Amino acid sequence: MAWNEPGGNSNNQDPWGGRKGGGRQGPPDLDEAFRKLQESLNGIFGGGKKRDGEGQGGGWGMLGIGAALLGAVWLWNAVYIVDAQEQAVVLRLGEYNRTVEQGLNIYFPPFEKKFQENVTRERSFTLQGQMLTEDENIVEVPLTVQYKISNLQYFVLNVDAPEVSLQHATESALRHVAGSTSMDEVITLGREQMGQEVSQRLQKFLNDYGTGITVTQVNIQRATAPAEVKDAFDDVIRAREDEQREKNQAETYANGVVPEARGQAQRLLEEANGYRDEVVARAQGEADRFSKLLAEYRKAPEVTRQRLYLDTMQQVYGSTSKVLVTGKDGQNNLLYLPLDKMIDSRPTAPAGAAGQAGAASSEGATRIINDLQQRELRTRESR
């Protein structure tokens, strides 16, 4: 039966257990629950009932709780740790106060402000843009800049956005260097030198700005022509490469031919000089010999004449292999001397004595000729 049915005992059937004169008079009151919680907190933090019974002292308790929470949060934010690779700059009322090194430290916000950065790690960024070269060609030059923070105070205070300033300075330095460099050097072997020049100019800009940044390296990657003219640009590059190859081949041929021709010319000059010296020396020798022969001829003309005749005949017969001797005054006496057969009929000498055999053969032919001449002389005298 429901507790509120007609005829029923509604007072005794109260679902909250409430009866007239009973201990529980209705549902629990939320205000009463909150009041009990506040009393408990006041008891913990020193609050209590007033003597006159006028309310509770919960306001001061809540204020203490808030103050404690704020103090914990402030202490949590004020205490910080600086690693070995880091530094921290502390500003007091917007003015530089100190630079904090490694260790456990504390600062006092909101009167102080902290900037903490890694000063040993190398950072990098990439930049790519179209540059106009010295010979008025447009090329796309990508480069990578590696840098690190060398002075955290300057990095924080001197420039509002130091890394953005670094990018702008890099673009300015790259345009200046590319504008004073030809396209061939930018694309081929001049990239390394160009990177060094960009690094030096960029570091000068950063020092002038006082950014506290040190550039460690600038790497210029392969530069290319814009996509719109890449095909024509490639054709030009190939043509220049072919031109350079032909020049190298021509220089190689010239380096091989010219020294050889110079060597041949020098050899001809040396041969001509040698021939000249030989002719001059022979003429001088003949002149000296004739002078001495003239002196001897004046002393003994007949003997000298005979000796000249014999030397001449020896030279003539020494270069022939057959000799024909005829009589004088139209006589028909003919004497044939086959010298080559006479020499060949001699016993052959060993290979080691070939020079001695040749000399002996020449001496034998000369002796035969002398005998014939003496015989002719005797015949002439007898007549």
Side-chain angles (χ1 to χ4, degrees):
M1 179 181 293
W3 67 275
N4 58 353
E5 287 184 358
N9 190 2
S10 59
N11 294 329
N12 296 330
Q13 299 296 328
D14 189 356
W16 304 109
R19 296 181 178 86
K20 293 181 179 180
R24 302 181 62 182
Q25 299 296 328
D29 191 355
L30 294 178
D31 294 337
E32 183 68 20
F34 280 114
R35 187 165 50 250
K36 290 182 179 180
L37 177 60
Q38 185 176 3
E39 291 176 357
S40 299
L41 294 175
N42 289 337
I44 295 173
F45 294 99
K49 294 182 179 180
K50 294 183 179 180
R51 293 181 180 180
D52 297 337
E54 296 178 358
Q56 304 292 333
W60 292 102
M62 294 299 293
L63 184 61
I65 293 174
L69 292 176
L70 289 176
V73 173
W74 180 89
L75 187 62
W76 176 265
N77 292 328
V79 177
Y80 62 97
I81 298 175
V82 179
D83 294 337
Q85 299 178 351
E86 296 179 338
Q87 286 183 355
V89 170
V90 179
L91 306 182
R92 180 174 293 173
L93 298 178
E95 185 179 3
Y96 172 77
N97 180 260
R98 63 187 180 276
T99 299
V100 181
E101 300 293 339
Q102 175 185 2
L104 181 64
N105 301 276
I106 187 171
Y107 74 109
F108 301 95
F111 306 104
E112 293 182 346
K113 190 174 182 181
K114 170 180 67 70
F115 297 92
Q116 186 173 345
E117 294 288 346
N118 190 320
V119 295
T120 59
R121 177 174 58 89
E122 285 197 355
R123 313 179 186 196
S124 64
F125 74 93
T126 301
L127 177 66
Q128 181 174 358
Q130 294 184 354
M131 306 295 167
L132 184 65
T133 61
E134 184 181 15
D135 49 0
E136 298 182 357
N137 289 306
I138 298 177
V139 293
E140 291 185 356
V141 182
L143 82 163
T144 301
V145 178
Q146 297 178 356
Y147 65 97
K148 64 181 179 179
I149 300 173
S150 58
N151 192 320
L152 185 58
Q153 177 184 350
Y154 291 169
F155 184 82
V156 173
L157 299 179
N158 291 353
V159 182
D160 184 21
E163 294 183 339
V164 176
S165 300
L166 172 63
Q167 297 179 7
H168 294 168
T170 301
E171 185 175 359
S172 176
L174 179 60
R175 289 188 183 278
H176 186 279
V177 174
S180 59
T181 307
S182 63
M183 182 187 63
D184 294 337
E185 294 179 356
V186 173
I187 293 177
T188 56
L189 301 178
R191 293 199 303 269
E192 183 176 357
Q193 180 66 25
M194 186 175 174
Q196 295 177 0
E197 294 180 2
V198 171
S199 177
Q200 295 175 0
R201 183 169 294 273
L202 176 59
Q203 188 62 56
K204 183 178 182 300
F205 290 163
L206 296 177
N207 294 338
D208 294 340
Y209 297 159
T211 57
I213 295 176
T214 299
V215 177
T216 58
Q217 190 173 3
V218 175
N219 296 322
I220 296 181
Q221 303 172 6
R222 181 177 178 82
T224 58
E228 295 80 5
V229 295
K230 188 176 184 304
D231 295 337
F233 186 80
D234 293 340
D235 293 339
V236 173
I237 294 298
R238 284 192 292 269
R240 291 183 178 178
E241 291 177 352
D242 294 340
E243 178 186 5
Q244 188 64 34
R245 184 176 65 254
E246 294 295 336
K247 287 183 178 180
N248 294 335
Q249 292 178 357
E251 291 178 357
T252 302
Y253 177 75
N255 293 333
V257 171
V258 172
E260 183 178 357
R262 289 176 179 174
Q264 292 178 357
Q266 187 65 29
R267 181 176 59 81
L268 293 177
L269 289 176
E270 295 295 335
E271 290 178 354
N273 292 331
Y275 176 74
R276 179 194 62 189
D277 296 339
E278 180 184 359
V279 171
V280 171
R282 184 181 295 111
Q284 292 177 352
E286 292 292 336
D288 293 340
R289 187 179 67 85
F290 181 79
S291 299
K292 295 178 180 179
L293 184 62
L294 178 60
E296 297 297 330
Y297 180 79
R298 287 174 180 175
K299 294 178 181 179
E302 187 64 26
V303 176
T304 304
R305 189 184 299 110
Q306 184 65 27
R307 186 61 189 172
L308 289 175
Y309 174 77
L310 294 176
D311 291 340
T312 303
M313 294 303 296
Q314 182 177 355
Q315 293 178 1
V316 172
Y317 292 151
S319 60
T320 184
S321 60
K322 299 178 177 62
V323 177
L324 296 176
V325 181
T326 60
K328 194 175 181 181
D329 298 334
Q331 295 182 2
N332 293 328
N333 296 329
L334 179 63
L335 180 61
Y336 169 68
L337 298 177
L339 298 180
D340 52 348
K341 300 298 182 180
M342 296 171 63
I343 294 173
D344 293 339
S345 62
R346 295 174 62 88
T348 58
Q356 298 178 358
S361 299
S362 299
E363 293 177 356
T366 303
R367 189 166 49 252
I368 293 174
I369 293 172
N370 292 332
D371 293 340
L372 291 176
Q373 291 175 354
Q374 292 177 3
R375 184 182 301 174
E376 182 178 0
L377 289 175
R378 286 195 297 270
T379 304
R380 187 183 304 173
E381 292 176 355
S382 62
R383 290 179 182 177

